[in-house]
């Protein structure tokens, strides 16, 4: 059974239909990439999964539970973390306070401390800057903080929205290495990216979204060699 | 000595403004709305304490507690019934107009229950006046209690926000509601908590205000409410230290204006200062720079 499953989901912004009935699934342990151009509906899809938007039709299941109508603030304690587009760290709070916010739904202090230690180990730079205001971090550091904050909830699945946005090529590589190692440590990943090459590189499977519809899907390696995909998304 | 005594009176009045301004600024910071009914919650607090003391014969401290509870409940009710349905869907203008409506509603309900005749409020402060410098400087008990309450409230609030989970959640919501929800924070509950704290503080401000100026009518809250709003904007709306600073400065300016310029012009002076400050620094004294989202 799929860990996360969307069935015929439709989302509207007022009168405009942004998602026109999409279905896909994510299995435990996978890295799934959702690729597509600007405005294809990738971010909308993630927002709908975590309840920041509600679908007009269709249903969403997570771990066998119907979460279609679950409010956003109840999603994280089910084991789903969302690293939003543009990081959205709390800029007026310190790095440490941001990470503590990531563990908001957890109450066991020793578990939180262990999670904090794990995050600092994965992102040593966050520990160096733990008392710095998040707004003063560089883009790459903010991305690390957003990921660390999400990991603080010890999620089963992590949804990442454009982690490479606005970062230098070296940092993009670093971030993707981290995503891979997070996945290897047992967390399922649903990755939304405009950088299709990078995304297909680390993904097991991928779905291609075009103006609110899934137009192609399949094995990431196969998609990388697909002529149409190459032309449209890989710039070859 | 008169300068010092004006200054102390100014700080005392400013303390009341600061306590009220905290409610404005916190609600603005978190719900991004101006709760123009906030001033009338002060008045409701005054009437609640008045009723407890006069009709029920309760001791002053117990009356203050009842007033705080009454105002907290009313604050949360206003938020849930009048504002919450509008906060997401409607324009901010609709929320603003609703707040003005709630303000008139509270005034008229109190008018209906207690009538329009001003009540003479019996001070809840029982400690004696403090005479300094051979009796030339007289600090009233109310002044002492008002200033110390303001300091205690400020310290308690700062500690609450920086040390508790609920306080941190308030900070997170004020910065980014969506991201806060993704952390598992219930935004509606956090907004309700903010209204509860702001309204509870308004009750304390109401009792202190009526103890210093012992005339209570359904319109008692209007002017202090507007002045405290000015104080919040003056200090930088959304900023808690700003509300504190803005309140104190406003109180001192008002009293000095009354004492040295003209008692009729003192309000005009207060607003003139606000206009000048906003021209020079549009975000207020301690206001944060508004960051453009990338």
């Amino acid at each position: 059974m799929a860990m996360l499953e969307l069935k015929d989901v439709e989302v509207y912004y007022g009168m405009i239909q942004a998602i026109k009935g999409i279905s896909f699934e994510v299995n435990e342990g996978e890295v799934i990439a959702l690729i597509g151009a600007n405005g294809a509906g990738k971010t909308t899809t993630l927002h709908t999964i975590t309840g920041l938007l509600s679908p007009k039709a269709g249903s969403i299941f997570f771990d066998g539970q119907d979460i279609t109508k679950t409010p956003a603030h109840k999603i994280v304690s089910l084991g789903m973390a969302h690293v939003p587009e543009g990081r959205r760290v709390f800029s007026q709070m310190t790095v440490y306070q941001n990470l503590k916010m990531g563990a908001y739904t957890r109450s066991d202090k020793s578990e939180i401390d262990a999670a904090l230690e794990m995050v600092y180990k994965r992102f040593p730079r966050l520990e160096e800057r733990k008392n710095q205001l998040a707004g003063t971090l560089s883009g790459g550091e903010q991305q690390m903080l957003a990921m660390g904050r999400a990991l603080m909830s010890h999620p089963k699945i992590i949804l990442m929205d454009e982690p490479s946005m606005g970062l230098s090529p070296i940092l993009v590589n670093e971030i993707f290495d981290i995503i891979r190692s997070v996945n290897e440590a047992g967390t399922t990943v649903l990755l939304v990216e405009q950088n299709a090459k990078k995304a297909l590189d680390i993904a097991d499977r991928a779905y291609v979204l075009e103006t609110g519809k899934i137009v192609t899907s399949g094995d990431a390696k196969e998609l990388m060699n697909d002529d149409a995909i190459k032309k449209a998304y890989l710039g070859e | 000595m008169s300068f010092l005594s004006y200054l102390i009176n100014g700080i005392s009045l400013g303390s009341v403004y600061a306590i009220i301004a905290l409610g404005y600024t916190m609600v603005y910071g978190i719900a991004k709305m101006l709760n123009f009914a906030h001033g009338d919650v002060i008045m409701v607090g005054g009437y609640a304490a008045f009723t407890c003391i006069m009709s029920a014969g309760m001791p002053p401290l117990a009356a203050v507690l009842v007033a705080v509870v009454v105002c907290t409940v009313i604050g949360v009710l206003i938020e849930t019934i009048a504002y919450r349905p509008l906060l997401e869907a409607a324009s901010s203008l609709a929320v603003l107009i609703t707040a003005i409506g709630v303000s008139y509603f509270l005034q008229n309900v109190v008018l209906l229950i207690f009538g329009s005749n001003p009540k003479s409020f019996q001070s809840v402060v029982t400690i004696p006046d403090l005479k300094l410098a051979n009796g030339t400087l007289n600090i009233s008990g109310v002044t002492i209690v008002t200033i110390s309450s303001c300091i205690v409230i400020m310290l308690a609030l700062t500690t609450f926000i920086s040390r508790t989970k609920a306080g941190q959640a308030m900070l997170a919501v004020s910065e980014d509601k969506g991201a806060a929800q993704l952390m598992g924070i219930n935004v509606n509950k956090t907004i309700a908590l903010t209204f509860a704290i702001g309204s509870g503080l308004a009750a304390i401000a109401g009792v202190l205000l009526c103890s210093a100026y012992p005339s209570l009518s359904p319109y008692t809250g209007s002017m202090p409410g507007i002045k405290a709003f000015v104080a919040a904007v003056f200090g930088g709306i959304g900023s808690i230290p700003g509300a504190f600073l803005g309140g104190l400065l406003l109180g001192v300016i008002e009293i000095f204006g009354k004492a040295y310029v003209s008692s009729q012009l003192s309000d005009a002076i207060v607003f003139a200062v606000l206009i000048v400050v906003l021209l020079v620094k549009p975000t207020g004294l301690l206001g944060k720079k508004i960051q453009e989202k990338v």
Side-chain angles (χ1 to χ4, degrees):
Chain A
M1 194 186 62
M3 180 183 235
L4 175 67
E5 189 178 8
L6 276 77
K7 277 187 189 158
D8 307 316
V9 170
E10 291 178 31
V11 187
Y12 285 76
Y13 288 111
M15 299 288 287
I16 299 154
Q17 189 171 17
I19 302 290
K20 299 165 183 166
I22 63 168
S23 306
F24 68 86
E25 50 184 59
V26 181
N27 297 311
E28 195 171 349
E30 282 184 312
V31 176
I32 299 297
L34 207 56
I35 58 176
N38 225 340
K42 305 182 301 285
T43 297
T44 306
T45 305
L46 290 197
H47 281 200
T48 309
I49 296 172
T50 44
L52 289 175
L53 290 170
S54 41
K56 193 159 193 177
S59 42
I60 304 167
F61 293 91
F62 177 60
D63 254 357
Q65 191 182 339
D66 187 346
I67 59 161
T68 317
K69 295 206 157 55
T70 309
H73 66 90
K74 287 192 176 149
I75 291 287
V76 66
S77 49
L78 300 177
M80 186 188 292
H82 181 165
V83 183
E85 185 181 12
R87 358 263 185 229
R88 288 168 78 169
V89 295
F90 301 113
S91 59
Q92 303 295 326
M93 296 166 92
T94 64
V95 168
Y96 171 77
Q97 285 172 328
N98 266 276
L99 292 174
K100 287 280 281 222
M101 274 291 114
Y104 184 78
T105 52
R106 305 176 79 177
S107 47
D108 187 322
K109 202 181 167 306
S110 60
E111 275 180 25
I112 296 175
D113 287 343
L116 198 61
E117 204 170 303
M118 179 271 290
V119 169
Y120 282 155
K121 217 171 133 193
R122 205 180 274 288
F123 306 100
R125 223 162 328 158
L126 293 184
E127 186 166 24
E128 286 163 27
R129 301 186 176 228
K130 62 181 172 190
N131 294 319
Q132 206 170 312
L133 289 183
T136 65
L137 299 179
S138 71
E141 287 163 349
Q142 288 194 10
Q143 185 61 50
M144 290 176 192
L145 178 56
M147 287 164 70
R149 186 179 66 176
L151 290 173
M152 287 297 289
S153 66
H154 195 65
K156 294 181 213 160
I157 185 169
I158 187 162
L159 278 48
M160 300 221 211
D161 200 344
E162 305 276 6
S164 75
M165 192 169 74
L167 301 184
S168 71
I170 297 173
L171 271 170
V172 170
N173 287 339
E174 200 177 321
I175 294 291
F176 274 85
D177 284 344
I178 293 165
I179 297 173
R180 196 190 306 248
S181 83
V182 165
N183 176 249
E184 277 161 7
T187 311
T188 308
V189 176
L190 174 58
L191 175 66
V192 155
E193 259 296 344
Q194 272 195 67
N195 188 338
K197 190 175 180 327
K198 274 277 151 206
L200 291 177
D201 235 10
I202 68 164
D204 298 305
R205 294 186 298 119
Y207 293 88
V208 181
L209 213 56
E210 246 171 50
T211 55
K213 275 190 201 137
I214 290 175
V215 289
T216 319
S217 66
D219 183 84
K221 304 288 164 290
E222 282 169 23
L223 284 176
M224 230 187 309
N225 295 316
D226 183 301
D227 285 338
I229 300 286
K230 268 188 185 169
K231 205 162 169 243
Y233 298 104
L234 302 175
E236 285 173 26
Chain B
M1 262 325 129
S2 62
F3 172 80
L4 208 57
S5 105
Y6 291 142
L7 181 66
I8 291 167
N9 281 338
I11 293 175
S12 171
L13 179 63
S15 296
V16 175
Y17 290 157
I19 298 172
I20 308 168
L22 284 172
Y24 269 113
T25 222
M26 285 170 70
V27 164
Y28 181 81
I30 284 163
K32 300 285 177 281
M33 69 161 288
L34 294 171
N35 177 19
F36 274 121
H38 191 58
D40 301 287
V41 177
I42 305 166
M43 174 271 297
V44 171
Y47 273 99
F50 174 81
T51 312
C52 288
I53 296 169
M54 290 311 190
S55 310
M58 284 164 73
L61 205 60
V64 175
L65 274 178
V66 173
V68 169
V69 171
V70 168
C71 287
T72 306
V73 171
I74 286 178
V76 174
L77 282 179
I78 292 172
E79 193 275 322
T80 1
I81 297 170
Y83 302 151
R84 187 177 298 177
L86 295 172
L87 275 177
E88 275 173 28
S91 73
S92 54
L93 206 56
V95 185
L96 193 71
I97 293 166
T98 307
I100 295 170
V102 171
S103 163
Y104 280 110
F105 177 79
L106 290 178
Q107 287 176 10
N108 284 287
V109 167
V110 172
L111 192 63
L112 211 62
I113 300 173
F114 294 94
S116 59
N117 286 339
K119 309 269 186 244
S120 93
F121 191 89
Q122 189 200 336
S123 172
V124 294
V125 177
T126 46
I127 66 167
D129 293 3
L130 188 66
K131 287 196 196 311
L132 295 175
N134 297 325
T136 50
L137 181 63
N138 184 24
I139 304 172
S140 74
V142 178
T143 302
I144 297 169
V145 171
T146 304
I147 296 173
S148 15
S149 311
C150 180
I151 294 170
V152 169
I153 287 170
M154 193 58 209
L155 291 178
L157 203 58
T158 316
T159 316
F160 171 76
I161 286 174
S162 62
R163 300 259 178 255
T164 68
K165 217 167 158 174
Q168 292 281 293
M170 287 168 83
L171 269 187
V173 171
S174 77
E175 218 182 296
D176 188 334
K177 279 198 187 68
Q181 279 175 291
L182 294 179
M183 302 299 111
I185 296 165
N186 185 334
V187 169
N188 282 339
K189 264 193 193 157
T190 307
I191 292 177
L193 175 68
T194 311
F195 270 86
I197 294 174
S199 306
L201 293 180
I204 296 175
V207 172
L208 292 171
L209 188 74
C210 294
S211 296
Y213 305 91
S215 163
L216 180 61
S217 85
Y219 312 107
T220 295
S222 302
M223 205 52 191
I226 290 174
K227 296 256 186 70
F229 169 62
V230 171
V233 175
F234 192 40
I237 192 136
S239 154
I240 287 175
F244 185 67
L245 183 68
L248 289 185
L249 284 177
L250 208 71
V252 172
I253 293 168
E254 185 179 333
I255 297 288
F256 278 175
K258 270 198 179 110
Y260 294 117
V261 186
S262 147
S263 57
Q264 270 110 42
L265 279 179
S266 71
D267 285 349
I269 293 167
V270 164
F271 288 99
V273 170
L274 171 79
I275 291 169
V276 171
V277 166
L278 290 186
L279 282 175
V280 178
K281 202 166 180 301
T283 51
L285 294 173
L286 302 180
K288 290 171 207 135
K289 223 171 57 194
I290 296 151
Q291 283 167 336
E292 288 288 327
K293 277 219 175 121
V294 184

